[in-house]
Amino acid sequence: MKLNIANPKTGCQKKLEIDDENKLRAFYDKRLAAEIPGEALGEEFKGYTFKIMGGCDKQGFPMRQGVLTNNRVRLLMSRGTSCFRGFGRRTGERRRKSVRGCIVSQDLSVLNLSITSMGDNELPGLTDKEIPRMRGPKRASKIRKLFNLSKDDDVTKYVKTYAKVTEKDGKTHSKSPKIQRLITPICLQRKRHRAAIKKNRISRCKTEAAEYHKLLSLRMKEQKERRSESLAKKRAARSQSQASKGDME
């Protein structure tokens, strides 16, 4: 079985081919995201802890988290799920695909491991050198966290450390990623503008509501006066008719 061991701190990777079943027995029946002590692979890995990140079987089918079996199964997958790309499909279309369960078995050919805790010994090709990052974060808060910056520091200067440098026609061109969620004076101005629009809208609504209630009370008052006048006319006409009937009798 091949073991791909990655060190996230240095960015290095190393491939080991192990055929000894006694060493591989420590990985069998373990699930994805399980942690394995490094002593199982040999004395040079003493003190190290490895985390199972994934793997493939001999036919190339990947392991999938959440499938609690050590065999291969066929699942109905939709676009966006792991182990299924689904590009060029119709909206809502699903396909049945074969995946390997999340439990390690003898049928695997490649197992991906990641170092979670370091040991005392140096591992050549993993801990003795550091590979520069090819890509870095784009979000402003994550850039500040990576370089331990404060809010007063200029983030745009630190993005250039992992910019892509190319040479064309004797000139050197550098391309750095566009910073996301960067607070600039224009952003603050637009925020103040939106707040002012909202404030003016609320005050206008209050003014219009007050004018409407004032007009509504005036209309109700006029309607009440017209109703009282009509009732008075009806009473007067009724009394007049009764008086005329009394005179005739």
PDB file of all heavy atoms in Angstrom, residues 118-152:
ATOM      1  N   MET A 118       4.020  16.619  15.921  1.00  0.00           N
ATOM      2  CA  MET A 118       5.392  16.329  15.533  1.00  0.00           C
ATOM      3  C   MET A 118       6.080  15.477  16.595  1.00  0.00           C
ATOM      4  O   MET A 118       5.730  15.503  17.775  1.00  0.00           O
ATOM      5  CB  MET A 118       6.170  17.634  15.340  1.00  0.00           C
ATOM      6  CG  MET A 118       5.509  18.604  14.372  1.00  0.00           C
ATOM      7  SD  MET A 118       5.519  18.022  12.679  1.00  0.00           S
ATOM      8  CE  MET A 118       7.253  18.176  12.304  1.00  0.00           C
ATOM      9  N   GLY A 119       7.047  14.716  16.118  1.00  0.00           N
ATOM     10  CA  GLY A 119       7.862  13.893  17.003  1.00  0.00           C
ATOM     11  C   GLY A 119       9.223  14.508  17.243  1.00  0.00           C
ATOM     12  O   GLY A 119       9.482  15.667  16.916  1.00  0.00           O
ATOM     13  N   ASP A 120      10.121  13.688  17.835  1.00  0.00           N
ATOM     14  CA  ASP A 120      11.455  14.189  18.160  1.00  0.00           C
ATOM     15  C   ASP A 120      12.396  14.132  16.966  1.00  0.00           C
ATOM     16  O   ASP A 120      13.240  15.013  16.781  1.00  0.00           O
ATOM     17  CB  ASP A 120      12.045  13.373  19.319  1.00  0.00           C
ATOM     18  CG  ASP A 120      11.185  13.481  20.575  1.00  0.00           C
ATOM     19  OD1 ASP A 120      10.536  14.537  20.733  1.00  0.00           O
ATOM     20  OD2 ASP A 120      11.165  12.523  21.378  1.00  0.00           O
ATOM     21  N   ASN A 121      12.245  13.117  16.132  1.00  0.00           N
ATOM     22  CA  ASN A 121      13.165  12.925  15.013  1.00  0.00           C
ATOM     23  C   ASN A 121      12.727  13.739  13.801  1.00  0.00           C
ATOM     24  O   ASN A 121      11.545  13.968  13.576  1.00  0.00           O
ATOM     25  CB  ASN A 121      13.246  11.438  14.630  1.00  0.00           C
ATOM     26  CG  ASN A 121      13.699  10.586  15.796  1.00  0.00           C
ATOM     27  OD1 ASN A 121      14.503  11.028  16.614  1.00  0.00           O
ATOM     28  ND2 ASN A 121      13.187   9.365  15.870  1.00  0.00           N
ATOM     29  N   GLU A 122      13.724  14.168  13.030  1.00  0.00           N
ATOM     30  CA  GLU A 122      13.451  14.860  11.775  1.00  0.00           C
ATOM     31  C   GLU A 122      13.196  13.834  10.672  1.00  0.00           C
ATOM     32  O   GLU A 122      13.902  12.820  10.574  1.00  0.00           O
ATOM     33  CB  GLU A 122      14.630  15.754  11.389  1.00  0.00           C
ATOM     34  CG  GLU A 122      14.813  16.967  12.273  1.00  0.00           C
ATOM     35  CD  GLU A 122      13.785  18.036  11.979  1.00  0.00           C
ATOM     36  OE1 GLU A 122      13.225  18.041  10.861  1.00  0.00           O
ATOM     37  OE2 GLU A 122      13.536  18.870  12.862  1.00  0.00           O
ATOM     38  N   LEU A 123      12.213  14.098   9.855  1.00  0.00           N
ATOM     39  CA  LEU A 123      11.901  13.224   8.729  1.00  0.00           C
ATOM     40  C   LEU A 123      12.399  13.877   7.450  1.00  0.00           C
ATOM     41  O   LEU A 123      11.952  14.975   7.089  1.00  0.00           O
ATOM     42  CB  LEU A 123      10.389  12.977   8.637  1.00  0.00           C
ATOM     43  CG  LEU A 123       9.743  12.291   9.841  1.00  0.00           C
ATOM     44  CD1 LEU A 123       8.243  12.155   9.624  1.00  0.00           C
ATOM     45  CD2 LEU A 123      10.364  10.925  10.074  1.00  0.00           C
ATOM     46  N   PRO A 124      13.337  13.258   6.759  1.00  0.00           N
ATOM     47  CA  PRO A 124      13.843  13.871   5.514  1.00  0.00           C
ATOM     48  C   PRO A 124      12.750  13.951   4.454  1.00  0.00           C
ATOM     49  O   PRO A 124      12.037  12.991   4.182  1.00  0.00           O
ATOM     50  CB  PRO A 124      14.969  12.913   5.084  1.00  0.00           C
ATOM     51  CG  PRO A 124      14.686  11.637   5.796  1.00  0.00           C
ATOM     52  CD  PRO A 124      13.991  11.975   7.066  1.00  0.00           C
ATOM     53  N   GLY A 125      12.609  15.132   3.887  1.00  0.00           N
ATOM     54  CA  GLY A 125      11.587  15.364   2.869  1.00  0.00           C
ATOM     55  C   GLY A 125      10.264  15.831   3.427  1.00  0.00           C
ATOM     56  O   GLY A 125       9.375  16.205   2.660  1.00  0.00           O
ATOM     57  N   LEU A 126      10.123  15.855   4.763  1.00  0.00           N
ATOM     58  CA  LEU A 126       8.868  16.301   5.378  1.00  0.00           C
ATOM     59  C   LEU A 126       9.060  17.457   6.343  1.00  0.00           C
ATOM     60  O   LEU A 126       8.298  18.420   6.332  1.00  0.00           O
ATOM     61  CB  LEU A 126       8.191  15.131   6.114  1.00  0.00           C
ATOM     62  CG  LEU A 126       7.388  14.155   5.269  1.00  0.00           C
ATOM     63  CD1 LEU A 126       6.889  13.012   6.125  1.00  0.00           C
ATOM     64  CD2 LEU A 126       6.222  14.851   4.594  1.00  0.00           C
ATOM     65  N   THR A 127      10.059  17.365   7.202  1.00  0.00           N
ATOM     66  CA  THR A 127      10.257  18.381   8.239  1.00  0.00           C
ATOM     67  C   THR A 127      11.566  19.142   8.097  1.00  0.00           C
ATOM     68  O   THR A 127      11.768  20.130   8.813  1.00  0.00           O
ATOM     69  CB  THR A 127      10.213  17.717   9.620  1.00  0.00           C
ATOM     70  OG1 THR A 127      11.237  16.710   9.690  1.00  0.00           O
ATOM     71  CG2 THR A 127       8.866  17.073   9.872  1.00  0.00           C
ATOM     72  N   ASP A 128      12.464  18.700   7.200  1.00  0.00           N
ATOM     73  CA  ASP A 128      13.766  19.354   7.115  1.00  0.00           C
ATOM     74  C   ASP A 128      13.777  20.552   6.177  1.00  0.00           C
ATOM     75  O   ASP A 128      14.719  21.330   6.166  1.00  0.00           O
ATOM     76  CB  ASP A 128      14.832  18.349   6.676  1.00  0.00           C
ATOM     77  CG  ASP A 128      14.465  17.665   5.361  1.00  0.00           C
ATOM     78  OD1 ASP A 128      13.303  17.834   4.934  1.00  0.00           O
ATOM     79  OD2 ASP A 128      15.318  16.974   4.782  1.00  0.00           O
ATOM     80  N   LYS A 129      12.730  20.745   5.381  1.00  0.00           N
ATOM     81  CA  LYS A 129      12.679  21.893   4.474  1.00  0.00           C
ATOM     82  C   LYS A 129      11.263  22.443   4.437  1.00  0.00           C
ATOM     83  O   LYS A 129      10.312  21.793   4.885  1.00  0.00           O
ATOM     84  CB  LYS A 129      13.131  21.502   3.069  1.00  0.00           C
ATOM     85  CG  LYS A 129      12.256  20.451   2.406  1.00  0.00           C
ATOM     86  CD  LYS A 129      12.742  20.124   1.014  1.00  0.00           C
ATOM     87  CE  LYS A 129      11.854  19.081   0.349  1.00  0.00           C
ATOM     88  NZ  LYS A 129      12.303  18.780  -1.031  1.00  0.00           N
ATOM     89  N   GLU A 130      11.149  23.643   3.900  1.00  0.00           N
ATOM     90  CA  GLU A 130       9.852  24.309   3.835  1.00  0.00           C
ATOM     91  C   GLU A 130       9.623  24.827   2.426  1.00  0.00           C
ATOM     92  O   GLU A 130      10.473  25.512   1.857  1.00  0.00           O
ATOM     93  CB  GLU A 130       9.781  25.467   4.836  1.00  0.00           C
ATOM     94  CG  GLU A 130       8.414  26.095   4.938  1.00  0.00           C
ATOM     95  CD  GLU A 130       8.319  27.094   6.076  1.00  0.00           C
ATOM     96  OE1 GLU A 130       9.264  27.162   6.878  1.00  0.00           O
ATOM     97  OE2 GLU A 130       7.301  27.813   6.145  1.00  0.00           O
ATOM     98  N   ILE A 131       8.485  24.464   1.878  1.00  0.00           N
ATOM     99  CA  ILE A 131       8.138  24.886   0.521  1.00  0.00           C
ATOM    100  C   ILE A 131       7.304  26.169   0.605  1.00  0.00           C
ATOM    101  O   ILE A 131       6.333  26.225   1.377  1.00  0.00           O
ATOM    102  CB  ILE A 131       7.353  23.775  -0.214  1.00  0.00           C
ATOM    103  CG1 ILE A 131       8.223  22.535  -0.354  1.00  0.00           C
ATOM    104  CG2 ILE A 131       6.877  24.247  -1.577  1.00  0.00           C
ATOM    105  CD1 ILE A 131       7.521  21.361  -0.991  1.00  0.00           C
ATOM    106  N   PRO A 132       7.661  27.221  -0.146  1.00  0.00           N
ATOM    107  CA  PRO A 132       6.861  28.447  -0.089  1.00  0.00           C
ATOM    108  C   PRO A 132       5.450  28.223  -0.620  1.00  0.00           C
ATOM    109  O   PRO A 132       5.215  27.391  -1.495  1.00  0.00           O
ATOM    110  CB  PRO A 132       7.640  29.436  -0.965  1.00  0.00           C
ATOM    111  CG  PRO A 132       8.482  28.571  -1.855  1.00  0.00           C
ATOM    112  CD  PRO A 132       8.802  27.334  -1.061  1.00  0.00           C
ATOM    113  N   ARG A 133       4.545  28.971  -0.074  1.00  0.00           N
ATOM    114  CA  ARG A 133       3.141  28.826  -0.463  1.00  0.00           C
ATOM    115  C   ARG A 133       2.926  29.358  -1.875  1.00  0.00           C
ATOM    116  O   ARG A 133       3.342  30.463  -2.213  1.00  0.00           O
ATOM    117  CB  ARG A 133       2.237  29.592   0.505  1.00  0.00           C
ATOM    118  CG  ARG A 133       2.296  29.063   1.922  1.00  0.00           C
ATOM    119  CD  ARG A 133       1.339  29.789   2.810  1.00  0.00           C
ATOM    120  NE  ARG A 133      -0.040  29.637   2.348  1.00  0.00           N
ATOM    121  CZ  ARG A 133      -1.095  29.826   3.125  1.00  0.00           C
ATOM    122  NH1 ARG A 133      -0.932  30.140   4.376  1.00  0.00           N
ATOM    123  NH2 ARG A 133      -2.304  29.677   2.640  1.00  0.00           N
ATOM    124  N   MET A 134       2.263  28.537  -2.691  1.00  0.00           N
ATOM    125  CA  MET A 134       1.946  28.984  -4.036  1.00  0.00           C
ATOM    126  C   MET A 134       0.701  29.856  -4.049  1.00  0.00           C
ATOM    127  O   MET A 134       0.561  30.768  -4.852  1.00  0.00           O
ATOM    128  CB  MET A 134       1.721  27.770  -4.949  1.00  0.00           C
ATOM    129  CG  MET A 134       2.955  26.923  -5.148  1.00  0.00           C
ATOM    130  SD  MET A 134       4.293  27.831  -5.937  1.00  0.00           S
ATOM    131  CE  MET A 134       3.580  28.137  -7.543  1.00  0.00           C
ATOM    132  N   ARG A 135      -0.204  29.587  -3.132  1.00  0.00           N
ATOM    133  CA  ARG A 135      -1.425  30.386  -3.034  1.00  0.00           C
ATOM    134  C   ARG A 135      -1.609  30.807  -1.587  1.00  0.00           C
ATOM    135  O   ARG A 135      -1.267  30.071  -0.660  1.00  0.00           O
ATOM    136  CB  ARG A 135      -2.655  29.583  -3.481  1.00  0.00           C
ATOM    137  CG  ARG A 135      -2.694  29.274  -4.960  1.00  0.00           C
ATOM    138  CD  ARG A 135      -4.037  28.672  -5.332  1.00  0.00           C
ATOM    139  NE  ARG A 135      -4.116  28.401  -6.761  1.00  0.00           N
ATOM    140  CZ  ARG A 135      -3.823  27.240  -7.315  1.00  0.00           C
ATOM    141  NH1 ARG A 135      -3.428  26.242  -6.565  1.00  0.00           N
ATOM    142  NH2 ARG A 135      -3.923  27.072  -8.623  1.00  0.00           N
ATOM    143  N   GLY A 136      -2.179  31.982  -1.420  1.00  0.00           N
ATOM    144  CA  GLY A 136      -2.433  32.487  -0.082  1.00  0.00           C
ATOM    145  C   GLY A 136      -3.878  32.906   0.062  1.00  0.00           C
ATOM    146  O   GLY A 136      -4.667  32.864  -0.889  1.00  0.00           O
ATOM    147  N   PRO A 137      -4.247  33.330   1.240  1.00  0.00           N
ATOM    148  CA  PRO A 137      -5.631  33.762   1.450  1.00  0.00           C
ATOM    149  C   PRO A 137      -5.942  35.050   0.712  1.00  0.00           C
ATOM    150  O   PRO A 137      -5.056  35.877   0.450  1.00  0.00           O
ATOM    151  CB  PRO A 137      -5.715  33.940   2.969  1.00  0.00           C
ATOM    152  CG  PRO A 137      -4.308  34.195   3.403  1.00  0.00           C
ATOM    153  CD  PRO A 137      -3.453  33.410   2.474  1.00  0.00           C
ATOM    154  N   LYS A 138      -7.214  35.230   0.378  1.00  0.00           N
ATOM    155  CA  LYS A 138      -7.673  36.434  -0.325  1.00  0.00           C
ATOM    156  C   LYS A 138      -8.449  37.360   0.603  1.00  0.00           C
ATOM    157  O   LYS A 138      -8.489  38.558   0.374  1.00  0.00           O
ATOM    158  CB  LYS A 138      -8.575  36.044  -1.497  1.00  0.00           C
ATOM    159  CG  LYS A 138      -7.865  35.291  -2.604  1.00  0.00           C
ATOM    160  CD  LYS A 138      -8.819  34.854  -3.674  1.00  0.00           C
ATOM    161  CE  LYS A 138      -9.412  36.019  -4.422  1.00  0.00           C
ATOM    162  NZ  LYS A 138     -10.290  35.595  -5.522  1.00  0.00           N
ATOM    163  N   ARG A 139      -9.085  36.798   1.625  1.00  0.00           N
ATOM    164  CA  ARG A 139      -9.889  37.624   2.516  1.00  0.00           C
ATOM    165  C   ARG A 139      -8.981  38.454   3.418  1.00  0.00           C
ATOM    166  O   ARG A 139      -7.948  37.967   3.901  1.00  0.00           O
ATOM    167  CB  ARG A 139     -10.803  36.730   3.347  1.00  0.00           C
ATOM    168  CG  ARG A 139     -11.885  37.492   4.094  1.00  0.00           C
ATOM    169  CD  ARG A 139     -12.747  36.543   4.887  1.00  0.00           C
ATOM    170  NE  ARG A 139     -13.410  35.569   4.034  1.00  0.00           N
ATOM    171  CZ  ARG A 139     -14.172  34.599   4.508  1.00  0.00           C
ATOM    172  NH1 ARG A 139     -14.342  34.478   5.822  1.00  0.00           N
ATOM    173  NH2 ARG A 139     -14.762  33.752   3.693  1.00  0.00           N
ATOM    174  N   ALA A 140      -9.360  39.699   3.660  1.00  0.00           N
ATOM    175  CA  ALA A 140      -8.499  40.625   4.397  1.00  0.00           C
ATOM    176  C   ALA A 140      -8.257  40.142   5.827  1.00  0.00           C
ATOM    177  O   ALA A 140      -7.131  40.213   6.339  1.00  0.00           O
ATOM    178  CB  ALA A 140      -9.132  42.020   4.404  1.00  0.00           C
ATOM    179  N   SER A 141      -9.296  39.617   6.485  1.00  0.00           N
ATOM    180  CA  SER A 141      -9.125  39.175   7.864  1.00  0.00           C
ATOM    181  C   SER A 141      -8.184  37.979   7.957  1.00  0.00           C
ATOM    182  O   SER A 141      -7.386  37.872   8.897  1.00  0.00           O
ATOM    183  CB  SER A 141     -10.494  38.829   8.462  1.00  0.00           C
ATOM    184  OG  SER A 141     -11.114  37.800   7.717  1.00  0.00           O
ATOM    185  N   LYS A 142      -8.244  37.084   6.952  1.00  0.00           N
ATOM    186  CA  LYS A 142      -7.362  35.914   6.980  1.00  0.00           C
ATOM    187  C   LYS A 142      -5.920  36.295   6.646  1.00  0.00           C
ATOM    188  O   LYS A 142      -4.979  35.674   7.136  1.00  0.00           O
ATOM    189  CB  LYS A 142      -7.875  34.867   6.001  1.00  0.00           C
ATOM    190  CG  LYS A 142      -9.201  34.260   6.439  1.00  0.00           C
ATOM    191  CD  LYS A 142      -9.602  33.088   5.582  1.00  0.00           C
ATOM    192  CE  LYS A 142     -10.884  32.461   6.122  1.00  0.00           C
ATOM    193  NZ  LYS A 142     -11.294  31.279   5.326  1.00  0.00           N
ATOM    194  N   ILE A 143      -5.735  37.322   5.815  1.00  0.00           N
ATOM    195  CA  ILE A 143      -4.380  37.812   5.549  1.00  0.00           C
ATOM    196  C   ILE A 143      -3.788  38.416   6.816  1.00  0.00           C
ATOM    197  O   ILE A 143      -2.610  38.190   7.142  1.00  0.00           O
ATOM    198  CB  ILE A 143      -4.403  38.842   4.402  1.00  0.00           C
ATOM    199  CG1 ILE A 143      -4.851  38.178   3.099  1.00  0.00           C
ATOM    200  CG2 ILE A 143      -3.028  39.466   4.210  1.00  0.00           C
ATOM    201  CD1 ILE A 143      -5.088  39.145   1.975  1.00  0.00           C
ATOM    202  N   ARG A 144      -4.596  39.168   7.563  1.00  0.00           N
ATOM    203  CA  ARG A 144      -4.113  39.727   8.832  1.00  0.00           C
ATOM    204  C   ARG A 144      -3.761  38.633   9.830  1.00  0.00           C
ATOM    205  O   ARG A 144      -2.789  38.739  10.582  1.00  0.00           O
ATOM    206  CB  ARG A 144      -5.176  40.650   9.427  1.00  0.00           C
ATOM    207  CG  ARG A 144      -5.406  41.931   8.647  1.00  0.00           C
ATOM    208  CD  ARG A 144      -6.259  42.911   9.424  1.00  0.00           C
ATOM    209  NE  ARG A 144      -6.588  44.085   8.624  1.00  0.00           N
ATOM    210  CZ  ARG A 144      -7.712  44.253   7.970  1.00  0.00           C
ATOM    211  NH1 ARG A 144      -8.650  43.309   8.006  1.00  0.00           N
ATOM    212  NH2 ARG A 144      -7.942  45.335   7.264  1.00  0.00           N
ATOM    213  N   LYS A 145      -4.565  37.561   9.821  1.00  0.00           N
ATOM    214  CA  LYS A 145      -4.289  36.458  10.735  1.00  0.00           C
ATOM    215  C   LYS A 145      -3.015  35.717  10.338  1.00  0.00           C
ATOM    216  O   LYS A 145      -2.231  35.291  11.208  1.00  0.00           O
ATOM    217  CB  LYS A 145      -5.478  35.492  10.725  1.00  0.00           C
ATOM    218  CG  LYS A 145      -5.349  34.358  11.719  1.00  0.00           C
ATOM    219  CD  LYS A 145      -6.572  33.473  11.674  1.00  0.00           C
ATOM    220  CE  LYS A 145      -6.445  32.301  12.653  1.00  0.00           C
ATOM    221  NZ  LYS A 145      -7.626  31.414  12.582  1.00  0.00           N
ATOM    222  N   LEU A 146      -2.764  35.573   9.024  1.00  0.00           N
ATOM    223  CA  LEU A 146      -1.576  34.863   8.553  1.00  0.00           C
ATOM    224  C   LEU A 146      -0.304  35.620   8.898  1.00  0.00           C
ATOM    225  O   LEU A 146       0.676  35.023   9.372  1.00  0.00           O
ATOM    226  CB  LEU A 146      -1.682  34.643   7.042  1.00  0.00           C
ATOM    227  CG  LEU A 146      -0.484  33.971   6.368  1.00  0.00           C
ATOM    228  CD1 LEU A 146      -0.306  32.547   6.876  1.00  0.00           C
ATOM    229  CD2 LEU A 146      -0.649  33.964   4.861  1.00  0.00           C
ATOM    230  N   PHE A 147      -0.289  36.935   8.701  1.00  0.00           N
ATOM    231  CA  PHE A 147       0.909  37.739   8.943  1.00  0.00           C
ATOM    232  C   PHE A 147       0.896  38.438  10.295  1.00  0.00           C
ATOM    233  O   PHE A 147       1.792  39.247  10.564  1.00  0.00           O
ATOM    234  CB  PHE A 147       1.067  38.782   7.827  1.00  0.00           C
ATOM    235  CG  PHE A 147       1.352  38.188   6.486  1.00  0.00           C
ATOM    236  CD1 PHE A 147       0.352  38.053   5.537  1.00  0.00           C
ATOM    237  CD2 PHE A 147       2.626  37.744   6.159  1.00  0.00           C
ATOM    238  CE1 PHE A 147       0.607  37.513   4.290  1.00  0.00           C
ATOM    239  CE2 PHE A 147       2.892  37.202   4.909  1.00  0.00           C
ATOM    240  CZ  PHE A 147       1.878  37.076   3.977  1.00  0.00           C
ATOM    241  N   ASN A 148      -0.115  38.147  11.131  1.00  0.00           N
ATOM    242  CA  ASN A 148      -0.205  38.741  12.474  1.00  0.00           C
ATOM    243  C   ASN A 148      -0.202  40.270  12.396  1.00  0.00           C
ATOM    244  O   ASN A 148       0.615  40.948  13.028  1.00  0.00           O
ATOM    245  CB  ASN A 148       0.933  38.237  13.364  1.00  0.00           C
ATOM    246  CG  ASN A 148       0.646  38.488  14.829  1.00  0.00           C
ATOM    247  OD1 ASN A 148      -0.496  38.786  15.214  1.00  0.00           O
ATOM    248  ND2 ASN A 148       1.663  38.396  15.662  1.00  0.00           N
ATOM    249  N   LEU A 149      -1.125  40.813  11.613  1.00  0.00           N
ATOM    250  CA  LEU A 149      -1.202  42.254  11.393  1.00  0.00           C
ATOM    251  C   LEU A 149      -2.295  42.858  12.251  1.00  0.00           C
ATOM    252  O   LEU A 149      -3.201  42.169  12.733  1.00  0.00           O
ATOM    253  CB  LEU A 149      -1.495  42.552   9.916  1.00  0.00           C
ATOM    254  CG  LEU A 149      -0.526  41.956   8.894  1.00  0.00           C
ATOM    255  CD1 LEU A 149      -1.004  42.258   7.492  1.00  0.00           C
ATOM    256  CD2 LEU A 149       0.875  42.486   9.099  1.00  0.00           C
ATOM    257  N   SER A 150      -2.211  44.153  12.413  1.00  0.00           N
ATOM    258  CA  SER A 150      -3.262  44.897  13.096  1.00  0.00           C
ATOM    259  C   SER A 150      -4.163  45.562  12.053  1.00  0.00           C
ATOM    260  O   SER A 150      -3.879  45.516  10.856  1.00  0.00           O
ATOM    261  CB  SER A 150      -2.657  45.952  14.030  1.00  0.00           C
ATOM    262  OG  SER A 150      -1.933  46.915  13.285  1.00  0.00           O
ATOM    263  N   LYS A 151      -5.215  46.203  12.517  1.00  0.00           N
ATOM    264  CA  LYS A 151      -6.143  46.834  11.582  1.00  0.00           C
ATOM    265  C   LYS A 151      -5.557  48.075  10.922  1.00  0.00           C
ATOM    266  O   LYS A 151      -6.053  48.528   9.896  1.00  0.00           O
ATOM    267  CB  LYS A 151      -7.438  47.201  12.300  1.00  0.00           C
ATOM    268  CG  LYS A 151      -8.264  45.982  12.682  1.00  0.00           C
ATOM    269  CD  LYS A 151      -9.618  46.380  13.211  1.00  0.00           C
ATOM    270  CE  LYS A 151     -10.459  45.153  13.489  1.00  0.00           C
ATOM    271  NZ  LYS A 151     -11.813  45.505  13.995  1.00  0.00           N
ATOM    272  N   ASP A 152      -4.500  48.628  11.524  1.00  0.00           N
ATOM    273  CA  ASP A 152      -3.886  49.826  10.952  1.00  0.00           C
ATOM    274  C   ASP A 152      -2.899  49.508   9.835  1.00  0.00           C
ATOM    275  O   ASP A 152      -2.544  50.392   9.054  1.00  0.00           O
ATOM    276  CB  ASP A 152      -3.167  50.616  12.052  1.00  0.00           C
ATOM    277  CG  ASP A 152      -4.124  51.072  13.149  1.00  0.00           C
ATOM    278  OD1 ASP A 152      -5.314  51.298  12.827  1.00  0.00           O
ATOM    279  OD2 ASP A 152      -3.693  51.190  14.315  1.00  0.00           O
TER     280      ASP A 152
END
